[in-house]
Amino acid sequence: MKKISIYHVDAFTSVAFGGNPAGVVPDANNLTSEMMQKIAKEVNLSETAFLQTSENSHAADFRIRYFSPTNEIDFCGHATLATTWILLTELGYNNRSSITLETNVGLIEMELSSEGIMMTQLSPKLKEINSDLEHIVELVGLRIDDIDQRFACKLSYTGNWHLLVPVKTKEAVDRAKPNFEFLSQHNQMNNICTTHLFTFDSQEEGCLLYTRDFAPAVGILEDPVTGSANGALAGYLYLEGIVPSDRDYKFTIAQGHKLGRPGYVKVEILQGSESAKFKIGGKAVTTIAGIFQIPL
């Protein structure tokens, strides 16, 4: 048997058993894609991250890959946060102020701040969704009058495409009961990673928004706290002119409460000379450290 280290980390929380759990395998150099997929299925969390030596070593400290129980994911925010936490707390990188990770979608810079670990997002992109509002509402299990029609349903990207659905109240967000079979089919047809419900009725002190995230197309019915989707949401809010674009702007998003795993995503939109920079992040807690035994 080959033995490899594996960690279970709760991301976007400072309290164990909150936030979003991810698996982290810090040495995956000798693992095939097939074996990584099998490990992710066995771990059975929304994502497991695998660290490898980067061939682009002059620009990146590591290569990172992500697998859900069913397939490889191009980018995953909470697993990136969890992996960086393990590097800093378990693997001797606590003297570093930043770590750069090579992903399938490009280089992601991770840095330490007073808010915890922050990750710089890719520049956001928006596009229209080829589905009418009535169909979207049916897919997510809500009513038309639940939708906050001050804002548009759109697709947003900072590494994965997410369908963003504005909702009037937290009560409606928590009441949503998606038709997972049809939502999965819809998202696969439209190259959508997750469907992300958001409301400004957060009812959480210090939080601007409250969200829920559904990802049946990648084998996850509901993700507790979603880094990539909330990063895409930040880009949407900025590009749609919903949050200020003339100054730096920071806020917090609450997610996971419906699943009993409350988490908090810190968002920073920083103005630059040429374009804004988008960062998301938070804290993390290691709950399991163990050994995975793999047949040779």
Side-chain angles (χ1 to χ4, degrees), residues 44 61 75 84 88 94 100 106 119-120 128 144 159-160 164 177 189 199 202 208 238 271 280 296:
N44 201 32
D61 294 294
F75 178 68
T84 305
L88 293 169
N94 55 311
T100 301
M119 68 186 89
T120 300
E128 303 294 330
I144 284 288
N160 297 310
L164 304 180
K177 292 185 178 179
M189 289 174 58
T199 181
S202 76
L208 180 68
Y238 179 84
Q271 301 302 318
I280 67 163
L296 295 176

Side-chain angles (χ1 to χ4, degrees), residues 26-47:
D27 182 6
N29 280 332
N30 297 317
L31 297 179
T32 64
S33 296
E34 180 183 9
M35 183 55 68
M36 285 187 269
Q37 184 63 76
K38 287 182 177 180
I39 291 171
K41 183 177 181 180
E42 185 76 6
V43 173
N44 201 32
L45 295 174
S46 58
E47 276 88 16

Side-chain angles (χ1 to χ4, degrees), residues 46-47 66 73-81 119 160 223 227-228:
S46 58
E47 276 88 16
Y66 315 93
I73 307 295
D74 283 338
F75 178 68
C76 175
H78 84 279
T80 307
L81 175 62
M119 68 186 89
N160 297 310
D223 203 30
S228 60

Side-chain angles (χ1 to χ4, degrees), residues 40-100:
K41 183 177 181 180
E42 185 76 6
V43 173
N44 201 32
L45 295 174
S46 58
E47 276 88 16
T48 297
F50 297 84
L51 272 185
Q52 299 175 315
T53 301
S54 173
E55 295 181 359
N56 190 15
S57 58
H58 67 283
D61 294 294
F62 295 97
R63 171 94 164 94
I64 185 170
R65 295 174 68 184
Y66 315 93
F67 288 80
S68 79
T70 60
N71 55 283
E72 184 170 6
I73 307 295
D74 283 338
F75 178 68
C76 175
H78 84 279
T80 307
L81 175 62
T83 301
T84 305
W85 176 255
I86 291 300
L87 287 169
L88 293 169
T89 60
E90 301 285 346
L91 302 178
Y93 283 77
N94 55 311
N95 61 341
R96 297 280 294 272
S97 61
S98 67
I99 294 171
T100 301

Side-chain angles (χ1 to χ4, degrees), residues 214-261:
F214 306 107
V218 294
I220 307 156
L221 296 185
E222 181 169 358
D223 203 30
V225 191
T226 318
S228 60
N230 284 313
L233 175 58
Y236 163 92
L237 297 174
Y238 179 84
L239 294 175
E240 291 287 283
I242 300 168
V243 298
S245 60
D246 59 348
R247 58 184 171 87
D248 293 351
Y249 191 65
K250 300 180 181 181
F251 57 94
T252 301
I253 299 173
Q255 190 183 341
H257 298 59
K258 177 67 174 177
L259 296 179
R261 299 191 66 97

Side-chain angles (χ1 to χ4, degrees), residues 37-285:
Q37 184 63 76
K38 287 182 177 180
I39 291 171
K41 183 177 181 180
E42 185 76 6
V43 173
N44 201 32
L45 295 174
S46 58
E47 276 88 16
T48 297
F50 297 84
L51 272 185
Q52 299 175 315
T53 301
S54 173
E55 295 181 359
N56 190 15
S57 58
H58 67 283
D61 294 294
F62 295 97
R63 171 94 164 94
I64 185 170
R65 295 174 68 184
Y66 315 93
F67 288 80
S68 79
T70 60
N71 55 283
E72 184 170 6
I73 307 295
D74 283 338
F75 178 68
C76 175
H78 84 279
T80 307
L81 175 62
T83 301
T84 305
W85 176 255
I86 291 300
L87 287 169
L88 293 169
T89 60
E90 301 285 346
L91 302 178
Y93 283 77
N94 55 311
N95 61 341
R96 297 280 294 272
S97 61
S98 67
I99 294 171
T100 301
L101 300 174
E102 177 193 357
T103 75
N104 285 354
V105 299
L107 299 177
I108 302 294
E109 182 182 2
M110 310 295 295
E111 61 183 290
L112 292 174
S113 77
S114 60
E115 302 293 339
I117 298 170
M118 301 297 291
M119 68 186 89
T120 300
Q121 304 291 282
L122 300 181
S123 296
K125 297 184 286 188
L126 297 181
K127 65 180 180 181
E128 303 294 330
I129 176 66
N130 295 322
S131 300
D132 58 36
L133 184 58
E134 288 77 10
H135 184 48
I136 293 171
V137 167
E138 183 180 5
L139 289 174
V140 300
L142 288 174
R143 306 185 298 259
I144 284 288
D145 62 4
D146 290 322
I147 302 302
D148 190 342
Q149 296 192 48
R150 295 177 299 168
F151 314 116
C153 292
K154 285 194 175 180
L155 296 174
S156 183
Y157 174 95
T158 52
N160 297 310
W161 284 106
H162 301 272
L163 173 57
L164 304 180
V165 182
V167 181
K168 289 179 182 176
T169 66
K170 179 179 184 292
E171 180 275 331
V173 172
D174 282 342
R175 178 169 27 91
K177 292 185 178 179
N179 184 319
F180 288 113
E181 180 182 356
F182 291 148
L183 182 60
S184 177
Q185 293 172 3
H186 173 273
N187 287 2
Q188 288 179 24
M189 289 174 58
N190 291 279
N191 191 33
I192 297 169
C193 184
T194 80
T195 298
H196 201 59
L197 277 55
F198 71 92
T199 181
F200 283 92
D201 177 41
S202 76
Q203 299 183 24
E204 278 281 313
E205 183 177 356
C207 294
L208 180 68
L209 297 123
Y210 174 75
T211 65
R212 286 179 73 191
D213 192 82
F214 306 107
V218 294
I220 307 156
L221 296 185
E222 181 169 358
D223 203 30
V225 191
T226 318
S228 60
N230 284 313
L233 175 58
Y236 163 92
L237 297 174
Y238 179 84
L239 294 175
E240 291 287 283
I242 300 168
V243 298
S245 60
D246 59 348
R247 58 184 171 87
D248 293 351
Y249 191 65
K250 300 180 181 181
F251 57 94
T252 301
I253 299 173
Q255 190 183 341
H257 298 59
K258 177 67 174 177
L259 296 179
R261 299 191 66 97
Y264 301 92
V265 180
K266 303 293 184 180
V267 180
E268 298 179 356
I269 303 175
L270 308 176
Q271 301 302 318
S273 57
E274 297 181 0
S275 62
K277 180 178 287 190
F278 298 80
K279 298 181 180 182
I280 67 163
K283 298 182 179 180
V285 179

